[in-house]
Amino acid sequence: MGYLNNNIITVDAILTKKGRETLAKNDGSFRITQFALGDDEIDYTLYNVNHPSGSAYYGQAIDGMPLLEAFPLEQQIMKYKLVTLPRGTAKMPILDLGFSAITLQQGAQLAVTPQTLNYLGNDQIFETSGYVATIADVRTMATFEGVGISSAAATAQNSTSTTTLGTNVSSTVIGTQINLRATTINTLFGSNSTLLTTLTVIGLDSGARATVPVTITKVATT
Amino acid sequence: MSFKRLDPEDFLTSAQAVSQTVWSNNAYTLEQFFTSSTQAASVSGKYYLNLYNTSSNLDGAVTQFNIAFGDSTGRGTVLYNSDVAGYSPSRTIYGQYRSLMLEDENAVFNFGGVESTYFYAISIERSRYKESLLPGSLNLFLSGSSAAGGTLTNLQLTDNSGMVTTPSYFGVQPYYQIISGSGGLAYNKTSGTNSNNSGYTRESGSYGLFFPDTATLLLNGSALDLADNMGVSLNTGLSDNTDQDNPAKLATAISGSARFQMNCQETITSDFVFIRARNSEFNYSENPSFISGSTGEVIFNYFINNPQVFPTTIGLYNDGNDLLAVAKLSRPILKDFTKEALVRVKLDF
């Protein structure tokens, strides 16, 4: 009989850029209430189900790999979350945003209505808890809002607008539909004709995630 | 479901005191002391001297502490106005520390049972310490003057925190006596002129007061002026309306010994969050390499009933799903339907 390893793993956490921002706001939004697990660096193709030494060694190439330290930018970490699904799940939920890339002219509007494929036996559904959408650079949007979810968390999140004094910060909203309107401010473009950012949408029930590039094109002034 | 709500019992707040060095370059002992002739000649030089770790005109010169001289009647410094007796920088310094430490404008500093009307104040530069100075870490070496007593006397001072269970208080200000000794304890002298084992002088009380919270040492001037192996014959100048350059005398005594040891301390409040992943939770991954093709099939058929995932990162979120903090594991841990994970995440503020 051997001893079971009952050690608690202890890790130090760092605040993300969003964490520092909410801490500075001092409006109660810096309140940790939930967690998620991620496996951003794992390449599951390294999992070798044909390992000659048997199933205990299938994950050998992953088990001992060194990990990078945490990044403070919330867009660059926790990209791939672990999800809770019934045993026997053969297909993972996938988000369909209806767009593989978004291009908007200055001031133009767009509504994104995500759907989830392969979730809980359904080919295609709208998740009841809604979707959380993050625009990486809120400066590029004149309007960025989530609608369709009336939970307290969603209402609080959607009513808290992220303002910035010219700094690139992200903004997150919750809804079944995400409304975007591109910025009308010319100075952001400088000498460029386009602005680039990303829109990341995560299903709150399924954990499925999709990121699409967003391009804002400058309207020529006469 | 990719987010799991935390229960109230998953949070723990803990405060822990940590200590570290005070002086530049993480040195426990400051061995070189420099003043600045520019600062000494400036308006601030009337009140205090800055002590640097290197020559003050070199890159990397950082003020380590200041020395000021205070006298209740304004002796030892030039009057602000020669027609107004008693009002000089030394009196201002005395009143400043009296208000700050004693909280009573009529009080007199009492050094271990003996009142004294003048003192030397050593204030540690604010940027050198975190929260407060660490009692018991003080070792201040003074080199005495050979001109007055004939023989050179050296003195090692410390606080008496190792000899008392709690500090004494002036109002809300905790303090310890500064005594002859080291590491918070008095020298165990059983004979000779200092036989009381308290580390005090024979007739002038203690060598000063140590205020850890305000990072200040008030050295008893009359004790330092003693000779006969009790003081260092500092020869404090107490003439009226005359600049006696008293801070420089103490600076010379400190510089001559070339050893000033001090640590500081800080209370770090940590939030611990206990992350519990049950056996049935977090067994599938949205990692693209976990999925084969565009239709979402898991990469290996083996994973359909025995999914194996390797969490590397823990994300902490608020109700609005903002990622507030992240923690990385040192190595991936295997998670499947037969395993549960318990990780303690530490958040320092």
Side-chain angles (χ1 to χ4, degrees), chain B residues 110-163:
Chain B
N110 185 311
F111 298 96
V114 179
E115 292 184 347
S116 178
T117 59
Y118 61 101
F119 60 73
Y120 292 85
I122 295 178
S123 291
I124 309 300
E125 180 77 2
R126 179 63 195 93
S127 59
R128 304 306 335 146
Y129 67 97
K130 293 288 187 180
E131 185 178 294
S132 64
L133 300 181
L134 179 65
S137 68
L138 166 65
N139 286 299
L140 173 60
F141 296 76
L142 299 177
S143 176
S145 164
S146 58
T151 55
L152 185 74
T153 56
N154 294 307
L155 192 60
Q156 183 178 351
L157 301 178
T158 186
D159 59 80
N160 71 341
S161 60
M163 302 166 66

Side-chain angles (χ1 to χ4, degrees), chain B residues 192-330:
Chain B
T193 53
N194 186 1
S195 59
N196 58 12
N197 290 340
S198 68
Y200 290 8
T201 64
R202 199 168 41 209
E203 64 265 10
S204 296
S206 71
Y207 287 91
L209 303 172
F210 172 56
F211 299 90
D213 287 2
T214 42
T216 301
L217 288 72
L218 294 187
L219 297 179
N220 180 358
S222 58
L224 299 184
D225 286 340
L226 293 172
D228 300 331
N229 287 326
M230 298 296 286
V232 288
S233 303
L234 199 58
N235 299 318
T236 303
L238 297 173
S239 300
D240 289 327
N241 197 20
T242 309
D243 186 2
Q244 304 275 269
D245 213 12
N246 289 324
K249 292 176 182 172
L250 181 59
T252 301
I254 294 173
S255 178
S257 68
R259 274 187 294 172
F260 189 178
Q261 298 171 333
M262 180 77 80
N263 276 349
C264 64
Q265 63 182 352
E266 179 183 23
T267 303
I268 294 181
T269 303
S270 300
D271 272 352
F272 291 104
V273 185
F274 289 87
I275 303 298
R276 303 168 210 267
R278 303 288 302 274
N279 67 309
S280 61
E281 298 168 338
F282 301 108
N283 292 321
Y284 290 87
S285 173
E286 284 290 336
N287 188 312
S289 67
F290 194 84
I291 299 168
S292 171
S294 59
T295 54
E297 286 98 348
V298 294
I299 187 170
F300 304 117
N301 289 337
Y302 180 79
F303 279 179
I304 295 175
N305 286 308
N306 298 296
Q308 314 267 304
V309 291
F310 295 87
T312 63
T313 314
I314 296 162
L316 301 174
Y317 295 81
N318 62 7
D319 278 337
N321 297 91
D322 286 320
L323 179 57
L324 303 179
V326 286
K328 289 295 292 277
L329 303 171
S330 58

Side-chain angles (χ1 to χ4, degrees), chain A residues 29-50:
Chain A
S29 56
F30 187 85
R31 183 165 174 269
I32 293 167
T33 57
Q34 50 187 347
F35 74 91
L37 301 178
D39 59 358
D40 294 357
E41 296 161 87
I42 302 299
D43 178 0
Y44 284 96
T45 61
L46 297 172
Y47 194 83
N48 184 3
V49 293
N50 298 313

Side-chain angles (χ1 to χ4, degrees), chain B residues 61-81:
Chain B
V62 178
T63 304
Q64 306 293 302
F65 60 92
N66 324 113
I67 297 176
F69 174 73
D71 180 78
S72 62
T73 56
R75 297 172 297 175
T77 50
V78 178
L79 298 174
Y80 292 118
N81 184 327

